[in-house]
Amino acid sequence: MTELDIGQHCSFPSCHQLDFLPFQCDLCSHIFCKSHKEVTSHQCTGKVSGIHTHGEAPERGNIPTYRCTYEDCRNYELVSGIHTHGEAPERGNIPTYRCTYEDCRNYELVSVRCSLCDEQFCLKHRSAEEHQCDKLPAAQANNCIRNVSNPVTKPTYIVPRDIKYKNKKSEKLATKVALMKLKMSATGRDDIPTDHRVYFFIYKSLDSSKHPIYVSKLWTVGRMLDVVADATKTVNKNDVDNQPHLWLFSATTGGALSNSETIEDLLENETIYNGSTVVLGYDQ
């Protein structure tokens, strides 16, 4: 059997893992797998521009890093744009916003408030369903969810058992195999550059059919929805009042994908993956 020329090997000396979604470091330009994509994890020797306004860019050892304080997490982040000069600030000087949901310990660098209760939440718990908002029943009773361009809360979909992922970990593993199949069968616009293409199985809830499709990672979910609706011959009347609203749903959580977010953002946040199954359906 002919071996498919898909993916690249990680450049980290002790790894060399074949990764179907490799990352290129912006500093050293080498290719790495997800485990070694960060500059701190592959001991990057590249240089950074834009941190100093004059002179040579500093070596990696001079770049300020910020370590996550959550339990046993060992991740580091490079924070730029907070100070324009002088030494990098201590972590305590960086404004943060803590999630108020139960025992959640997540912090965000920007304020994320619920439009119903006005409480502060992290990105994971920002939707009214996720933090079980006390004011959600009243909003639903007043029909705030359906037939509006910017609904108060997004609908959810009961994903059929035969396509539902057990959890995010199982979805991530399944997409690695699915991606190989998708690259051989998916259809999409020819003007999308190869390195911008993201592949999905679209599950059409009306007839339980699956459609292999690729889109651009730079598109918003709203634009992807319009293209997918046309490709699957699904009626889309989202711009018409008093008509069922068409959505794209996660096949793991059943939650609707926000039409304003880009595909690239959803991939970075691991809301979905390249190779995921995405459900196309109407709200109830």
Side-chain angles (χ1 to χ4, degrees):
M1 177 179 178
T2 304
E3 184 177 354
L4 294 175
D5 184 17
I6 299 175
Q8 297 185 56
H9 290 275
C10 177
S11 299
F12 193 65
S14 60
C15 182
H16 294 300
Q17 173 182 317
L18 178 61
D19 198 309
F20 296 114
L21 297 171
F23 298 84
Q24 184 174 30
C25 177
D26 292 332
L27 305 185
C28 64
S29 298
H30 291 307
I31 300 297
F32 297 98
C33 64
K34 184 173 182 180
S35 300
H36 298 114
K37 69 175 182 177
E38 304 296 342
V39 294
T40 52
S41 61
H42 66 257
Q43 302 172 4
C44 186
T45 57
K47 292 184 177 182
V48 175
S49 61
I51 293 180
H52 286 41
T53 57
H54 63 277
E56 290 294 319
E59 295 294 333
R60 175 188 165 275
N62 296 329
I63 301 173
T65 57
Y66 301 87
R67 180 171 178 173
C68 177
T69 59
Y70 179 69
E71 296 181 353
D72 298 327
C73 181
R74 299 179 62 185
N75 289 339
Y76 287 81
E77 299 294 339
L78 293 174
V79 181
S80 62
I82 295 178
H83 281 39
T84 56
H85 62 279
E87 293 294 321
E90 293 295 326
R91 178 185 176 280
N93 294 332
I94 302 174
T96 57
Y97 302 86
R98 181 170 180 173
C99 179
T100 60
Y101 179 68
E102 296 182 352
D103 297 327
C104 180
R105 297 175 61 186
N106 290 338
Y107 288 82
E108 300 295 341
L109 292 177
V110 294
S111 178
V112 182
R113 292 187 174 276
C114 173
S115 60
L116 296 179
C117 64
D118 199 38
E119 293 292 336
Q120 174 69 41
F121 297 99
C122 64
L123 293 177
K124 179 180 179 181
H125 297 120
R126 69 185 185 275
S127 70
E129 292 94 349
E130 288 290 345
H131 65 260
Q132 301 172 4
C133 186
D134 293 336
K135 297 186 179 181
L136 180 59
Q140 291 173 327
N142 291 327
N143 200 27
C144 293
I145 298 178
R146 290 187 56 182
N147 304 323
V148 290
S149 57
N150 294 300
V152 172
T153 183
K154 299 191 294 292
T156 56
Y157 178 81
I158 301 177
V159 182
R161 183 176 297 180
D162 59 330
I163 67 165
K164 182 178 176 62
Y165 299 109
K166 183 178 180 181
N167 49 45
K168 297 303 292 183
K169 183 178 180 180
S170 64
E171 178 180 4
K172 192 172 184 179
L173 291 173
T175 55
K176 292 183 178 180
V177 177
L179 185 59
M180 297 178 66
K181 298 179 180 179
L182 280 165
K183 287 187 174 182
M184 293 185 288
S185 60
T187 58
R189 289 176 44 170
D190 294 334
D191 59 349
I192 300 176
T194 303
D195 57 343
H196 286 183
R197 294 179 182 182
V198 183
Y199 297 80
F200 300 107
F201 277 118
I202 303 299
Y203 177 85
K204 185 177 177 180
S205 62
L206 289 178
D207 57 12
S208 302
S209 59
K210 292 182 74 172
H211 305 263
I213 290 174
Y214 65 80
V215 299
S216 171
K217 67 180 182 180
L218 303 180
W219 290 359
T220 61
V221 172
R223 183 175 180 185
M224 173 180 166
L225 176 62
D226 292 337
V227 171
V228 167
D230 289 340
T232 59
K233 295 181 173 57
T234 304
V235 177
N236 181 5
K237 294 185 177 181
N238 287 358
D239 58 344
V240 180
D241 291 337
N242 300 317
Q243 292 293 326
H245 206 80
L246 191 62
W247 295 85
L248 292 172
F249 299 91
S250 164
T252 300
T253 65
L257 304 180
S258 175
N259 288 334
S260 61
E261 291 193 79
T262 65
I263 306 302
E264 189 171 31
D265 287 340
L266 294 179
L267 294 175
E268 289 181 358
N269 297 332
E270 297 193 347
T271 303
I272 52 177
Y273 302 96
N274 197 352
S276 287
T277 294
V278 177
V279 178
L280 175 67
Y282 297 98
D283 57 7
Q284 303 300 318

